[in-house]
Amino acid sequence: SSQIYPIHLPREMRTRRALLICNIEFEHLSQRHGAEVDVEGMTKLLEGLGYVVDVHRNLTSQEMATVMKDFADHKEHWTSDSTFLVFMSHGVRAGLCGTKSRGETTDILSLDTIYDKFNNKRCQALLGKPKVVIIQSCRGGIIGSVMVGDSADPAVPTPSSAHTMPAGLEDDAICEVHLESDFATLHSSTPDTVSWRSSVTGSLFIQRLIEQFRNHACNTDLHEIFRKVQYSFGKFPRQLPSQERTTMLRKFYLFPG
C-alpha cells in the first residue's frame, strides 16, 4: 500500500542501525541511578527488532552532536529501511543535559540538533525512511498532574485554515523534498514536567515502551504503539508521554509481512 513505508530488501540484506545515547554520570548533577537498566532493556528490544545498536554513555552536548553526525554518515543507512534514535539523560525545557551541565544554560543539547543532523539535506541515506526518536528525560520541574472538577466547560476548537498551493508553479524536473520529514518522536513527558525513574527497575517510560513494543510490534504500526504507551499512563497522572514533531507521511510497520 502507498500508505505504508516500504521495506524493499529482505531481512538478510537489510542493515538496520540504531543509536542509543545515555548519560548516567555527571560532573555537577546527580547520578541517574537505574539508567543502566534502561540501556540494557532498550538494547535488547532494538536488537530484537533487527537493529545493530550503537551505544554511547556519558557524553557532553558537543560529544553527543559529534556522535550523531558520525552515525548519520553510516553507509549502512543506504541499505536500511529506518532508524531509531534513543536519548536518555537529565533534561530541561531547552534540551538534554550533557555531562558537564550545571543547569539550564550550560552544556545543553538542543533538540533541534537531532532533527538537523538527520534531516533530508544532511542525511540523504535515510531520505523517505522512518526516523524514530525516543527521548527519556525531564523537561522541567513541574509535576504533570492537576486537580480538576467535573463541570469544566471545554473550549471550542478553532478550525484550521486549509493549506492552498500558490498558483503558477511548474515542475522543473528537480526532485524537491521536505527538509524535515518522516520523523516520529515520543518524549517521556510533556513540556516543563518531570519524568520518573526507579533506581532499581529504571525509567517508568522506558519500561512501558519496551512492554508495548514487545506485545504489539509484530502487527501494529508505530503510531498506534506510541498511543498504547501513552494510554498506559492513564492512571498515573504525574507523567504523560508526548508525541511531538512527528512528520511521518505513512504508517510504519516494523514487520510488514
Side-chain angles (χ1 to χ4, degrees):
S1 170
S2 62
Q3 297 296 310
I4 297 174
Y5 281 99
I7 296 180
H8 297 296
L9 295 173
R11 180 188 295 267
E12 59 272 14
M13 297 178 63
R14 200 183 305 151
T15 54
R16 285 179 169 175
R17 299 292 293 259
L19 175 65
L20 193 159
I21 296 176
C22 182
N23 290 337
I24 300 175
E25 299 178 354
F26 299 79
E27 292 187 9
H28 309 288
L29 304 176
S30 60
Q31 182 170 336
R32 298 181 61 248
H33 297 286
E36 195 60 50
V37 178
D38 295 339
V39 173
E40 181 179 355
M42 280 302 301
T43 300
K44 288 183 178 179
L45 174 68
L46 291 170
E47 289 176 346
L49 296 175
Y51 295 85
V52 175
V53 187
D54 292 4
V55 179
H56 299 267
R57 296 174 176 83
N58 302 328
L59 305 179
T60 65
S61 59
Q62 182 56 55
E63 289 169 340
M64 286 190 278
T66 299
V67 163
M68 281 191 285
K69 181 183 183 304
D70 292 343
F71 182 77
D73 290 340
H74 268 309
K75 293 182 179 179
E76 288 90 341
H77 293 315
W78 290 103
T79 46
S80 178
D81 54 35
S82 57
T83 190
F84 273 72
L85 309 168
V86 183
F87 302 89
M88 308 176 185
S89 186
H90 285 307
V92 295
R93 184 67 169 87
L96 297 165
C97 295
T99 54
K100 296 183 181 295
S101 176
R102 289 180 177 269
E104 295 192 10
T105 58
T106 58
D107 199 22
I108 301 298
L109 178 78
S110 169
L111 298 183
D112 288 341
T113 305
I114 300 172
Y115 303 95
D116 179 67
K117 297 295 184 186
F118 293 94
N119 67 26
N120 291 329
K121 179 180 179 180
R122 297 187 183 275
C123 187
Q124 294 188 17
L126 288 171
L127 173 65
K129 302 173 183 179
K131 295 165 278 282
V132 184
V133 183
I134 305 294
I135 300 176
Q136 163 59 45
S137 73
C138 289
R139 306 178 71 187
I142 299 175
I143 302 299
S145 60
V146 62
M147 299 302 293
V148 297
D150 291 331
S151 59
D153 184 20
V156 178
T158 303
S160 59
S161 59
H163 175 73
T164 57
M165 179 67 71
L169 294 183
E170 296 181 357
D171 187 350
D172 286 330
I174 295 176
C175 181
E176 184 177 12
V177 299
H178 298 285
L179 176 63
E180 181 181 309
S181 66
D182 309 299
F183 284 95
T185 304
L186 188 63
H187 287 267
S188 58
S189 60
T190 51
D192 299 314
T193 63
V194 299
S195 295
W196 298 89
R197 170 174 37 83
S198 165
S199 61
V200 177
T201 59
S203 304
L204 185 60
F205 168 68
I206 295 297
Q207 292 175 45
R208 296 189 179 186
L209 183 143
I210 290 173
E211 179 183 5
Q212 296 302 325
F213 267 89
R214 285 179 174 168
N215 289 340
H216 302 290
C218 61
N219 59 9
T220 305
D221 73 275
L222 182 78
H223 282 132
E224 178 61 13
I225 296 175
F226 278 4
R227 188 198 63 77
K228 290 178 181 294
V229 175
Q230 293 175 293
Y231 183 79
S232 73
F233 282 80
K235 295 184 179 180
F236 185 73
R238 293 195 167 199
Q239 181 178 343
L240 180 62
S242 175
Q243 295 190 54
E244 299 177 23
R245 203 158 175 168
T246 294
T247 55
M248 282 201 172
L249 305 177
R250 309 179 186 187
K251 292 183 178 182
F252 176 38
Y253 288 90
L254 284 145
F255 303 102

